[in-house]
Amino acid sequence: MEPHLLGLLLGLLLGGTRVLAGYPIWWSLALGQQYTSLGSQPLLCGSIPGLVPKQLRFCRNYIEIMPSVAEGVKLGIQECQHQFRGRRWNCTTIDDSLAIFGPVLDKATRESAFVHAIASAGVAFAVTRSCAEGTSTICGCDSHHKGPPGEGWKWGGCSEDADFGVLVSREFADARENRPDARSAMNKHNNEAGRTDKYDSASEMVVEKHRESRGWVETLRAKYSLFKPPTERDLVYYENSPNFCEPNPETGSFGTRDRTCNVTSHGIDGCDLLCCGRGHNTRTEKRKEKCHCIFHWCCYVSCQECIRIYDVHTCK
Ligand SMILES: *[C@@H]1O[C@H](CO)[C@@H](O)[C@H](O)[C@H]1NC(C)=O
Ligand SMILES: *[C@@H]1O[C@H](CO)[C@@H](O)[C@H](O)[C@H]1NC(C)=O
């Protein structure tokens, strides 16, 4: 066996038990080669990493919507990067890893909660959209394809199309969250909060263990019972986040050095907080912009190009 293959295999075996056990590594479908070949090459369910048997069955039965599932994760990641662009952890993905967010998601933190919610929301959205566009034969408004797609699936038909995306996301994304542990409970809750897309805050929880007939079961309880308990709208988490100030391969923090900060903001995107008190550097940048635009009757606009100078502040 070639050495790098052996390394990869060992990495998978070790990673599989140590790091990747709780990780939805099928998200890697949204990055890299597999994603770019979607549409041009047939998708092989067996080559998607980390599917549990239920997901594999789903993939084989509904192969047609798998590109939308991948697209949904991709949209979720883009949205996460947009929403977190001014934060210390900004939803960075790692292209050459199956664990596309690195070790950051190993812990049951707010960041993990958010990523699960937004990935599930993305899947529901992308599947619903592809149904509405009529690109898929098992859903959509085309009268030829109305009605249930097959045995055991009461989906399809126009009125239920938004539900269809939600159902796909639920069936597929939650399929691996059936362990009786706190992390599974957390992921399921946050996946669902994302799918209905109405989360507005995140609540810290504590893990409680109960003995039930099926064995020990972990559940979550609000840590601060003085506040109202979280509803299905709230994301939940039960471990503290690292501060993401310095690079740390163990936590998956990249640190904030060289990040662009906002010198006038007092928020988390401001230079004080984003740079963790280390201070910032300032440089000027010239950018070409359109200017002196003239509207010509009728109908076009002509512009000149001007050079504007901006101050750019980056963390030390
Ligand atoms: C996000 O953080 C990474 C690592 O610090 C950095 O390389 C990247 O430029 C940041 N992205 C944005 C949009 O600021
Ligand atoms: C910087 O922060 C200020 C104050 O919050 C805000 O008005 C401004 O739009 C921000 N600038 C950028 C480039 O985000």
Side-chain angles (χ1 to χ4, degrees), residues 89-166:
W89 182 74
N90 65 4
C91 220
T92 308
T93 52
I94 309 162
D95 280 347
D96 54 4
S97 166
L98 286 177
I100 59 172
F101 292 98
V104 169
L105 261 58
D106 290 347
K107 292 191 104 195
T109 58
R110 292 174 81 113
E111 287 76 19
S112 297
F114 188 82
V115 169
H116 273 266
I118 208 155
S120 304
V123 170
F125 172 79
V127 171
T128 300
R129 188 174 63 181
S130 101
C131 289
E133 285 168 352
T135 42
S136 180
T137 54
I138 62 166
C139 59
C141 291
D142 188 327
S143 58
H144 296 289
H145 310 305
K146 250 190 193 155
E151 240 181 294
W153 295 83
K154 297 217 175 77
W155 304 347
C158 276
S159 57
E160 287 163 330
D161 279 347
D163 294 346
F164 184 78
V166 169

Side-chain angles (χ1 to χ4, degrees), residues 18-309:
R18 193 178 53 89
V19 184
L20 298 179
Y23 211 104
I25 55 177
W26 63 270
W27 284 348
S28 59
L29 192 55
L31 297 180
Q33 273 212 316
Q34 270 198 317
Y35 184 80
T36 45
S37 66
L38 279 179
S40 58
Q41 278 168 35
L43 180 73
L44 295 173
C45 296
S47 71
I48 302 173
L51 298 188
V52 297
K54 189 177 173 193
Q55 286 171 317
L56 200 56
R57 272 199 308 278
F58 182 100
C59 180
R60 294 200 166 118
N61 286 341
Y62 301 102
I63 188 90
E64 236 188 310
I65 48 178
M66 289 309 290
S68 306
V69 170
E71 170 76 10
V73 176
K74 181 133 188 146
L75 289 173
I77 294 169
Q78 283 167 358
E79 181 61 21
C80 182
Q81 290 179 342
H82 176 72
Q83 291 198 28
F84 279 54
R85 66 195 179 282
R87 298 185 153 261
R88 288 176 186 166
W89 182 74
N90 65 4
C91 220
T92 308
T93 52
I94 309 162
D95 280 347
D96 54 4
S97 166
L98 286 177
I100 59 172
F101 292 98
V104 169
L105 261 58
D106 290 347
K107 292 191 104 195
T109 58
R110 292 174 81 113
E111 287 76 19
S112 297
F114 188 82
V115 169
H116 273 266
I118 208 155
S120 304
V123 170
F125 172 79
V127 171
T128 300
R129 188 174 63 181
S130 101
C131 289
E133 285 168 352
T135 42
S136 180
T137 54
I138 62 166
C139 59
C141 291
D142 188 327
S143 58
H144 296 289
H145 310 305
K146 250 190 193 155
E151 240 181 294
W153 295 83
K154 297 217 175 77
W155 304 347
C158 276
S159 57
E160 287 163 330
D161 279 347
D163 294 346
F164 184 78
V166 169
L167 278 171
V168 167
S169 172
R170 208 175 269 149
E171 280 294 309
F172 195 78
D174 289 1
R176 45 185 298 292
E177 307 297 354
N178 53 6
R179 302 176 309 273
D181 61 15
R183 185 59 197 270
S184 239
M186 167 178 151
N187 290 349
K188 255 209 313 237
H189 177 101
N190 293 325
N191 285 351
E192 192 60 31
R195 281 191 284 264
T196 42
D197 238 354
K198 34 179 200 191
Y199 46 87
D200 38 33
S201 63
S203 306
E204 190 170 352
M205 311 293 277
V206 286
V207 177
E208 283 183 336
K209 289 187 188 222
H210 309 265
R211 182 134 192 116
E212 287 183 13
S213 53
R214 56 179 167 147
W216 284 99
V217 174
E218 290 177 350
T219 54
L220 297 172
R221 178 174 59 79
K223 183 168 180 185
Y224 305 103
S225 44
L226 281 179
F227 304 130
K228 72 173 176 49
T231 65
E232 72 267 27
R233 302 170 74 106
D234 300 309
L235 303 185
V236 298
Y237 64 96
Y238 57 86
E239 287 182 298
N240 290 325
S241 306
N243 66 22
F244 297 113
C245 282
E246 302 295 332
N248 181 342
E250 258 165 56
T251 61
S253 165
F254 295 99
T256 62
R257 210 192 139 138
D258 296 329
R259 289 281 305 278
T260 305
C261 59
N262 182 337
V263 80
T264 56
S265 166
H266 296 293
I268 188 69
D269 62 336
C271 293
D272 286 348
L273 283 176
L274 189 68
C275 306
C276 306
R278 296 185 306 264
H280 63 272
N281 298 315
T282 303
R283 62 168 200 271
T284 54
E285 224 175 70
K286 288 181 188 163
R287 291 183 206 156
K288 277 187 195 159
E289 284 181 2
K290 289 200 161 73
C291 57
H292 307 303
C293 294
I294 300 168
F295 178 75
H296 298 270
W297 186 264
C298 181
C299 293
Y300 73 97
V301 175
S302 66
C303 294
Q304 288 177 6
E305 221 168 47
C306 298
I307 297 202
R308 270 188 68 182
I309 296 174

